[in-house]
Amino acid sequence: ALPLGGTVPRSSGRWWKNMPEYIRRALNYPQMDVDCTVWQMVYLCLAPAKVYRTTKYHRQTKNQWARDDPAFVALIVLLMAVSSLAYAIAFHRNLVGFLKAVFFSVVIDFFLAGVALCTIMW
């Protein structure tokens, strides 16, 4: 059994253990802290200083800046898929147009641009 009530199917034990921890957490919904993620997203728009103070406190207590919870990324990808659906409906796209919009917004604009930017700024 995984922490916080998630379980691994018996047939998938070996590949589950070989998977990176971040991916395992992304596939284990009960382990995600969605409430904290939504709070951070809202307050990043309304009062970024409050999120900074919370993150700074987390840095002092846990000795890490980043969240080890993939809920933020998962929620952003979900919201990008919803916005792609709205785009497809507004511009009368079919299912293929919707899937292309999701692919380009999530894979190209989000992941590949993020990797490129992080690599350049490193």
Side-chain angles (χ1 to χ4, degrees):
L2 293 174
L4 299 176
T7 59
V8 178
R10 293 203 184 272
S11 63
S12 64
R14 177 173 283 168
W15 70 268
W16 185 264
K17 291 178 185 174
N18 292 333
M19 197 177 296
E21 184 178 358
Y22 192 80
I23 302 297
R24 279 186 284 162
R25 289 181 178 178
L27 297 175
N28 188 14
Y29 177 76
Q31 189 166 349
M32 289 191 206
D33 189 6
V34 179
D35 292 338
C36 181
T37 300
V38 171
W39 179 88
Q40 276 188 336
M41 285 184 170
V42 169
Y43 276 93
L44 278 172
C45 296
L46 300 177
K50 186 180 271 193
V51 178
Y52 174 76
R53 282 193 304 272
T54 306
T55 306
K56 186 176 177 184
Y57 177 71
H58 184 261
R59 167 74 172 129
Q60 292 171 346
T61 56
K62 302 274 187 174
N63 198 24
Q64 72 178 31
W65 281 104
R67 291 181 49 164
D68 53 359
D69 179 20
F72 201 90
V73 173
L75 195 56
I76 287 177
V77 168
L78 177 69
L79 292 174
M80 291 175 89
V82 169
S83 68
S84 297
L85 177 64
Y87 173 83
I89 290 171
F91 292 106
H92 306 289
R93 303 286 183 193
N94 55 7
L95 180 64
V96 175
F98 164 67
L99 293 175
K100 280 175 56 176
V102 169
F103 175 78
F104 282 110
S105 68
V106 172
V107 175
I108 306 295
D109 296 338
F110 186 65
F111 288 120
L112 291 181
V115 167
L117 187 64
C118 290
T119 303
I120 291 170
M121 295 298 176
W122 184 287

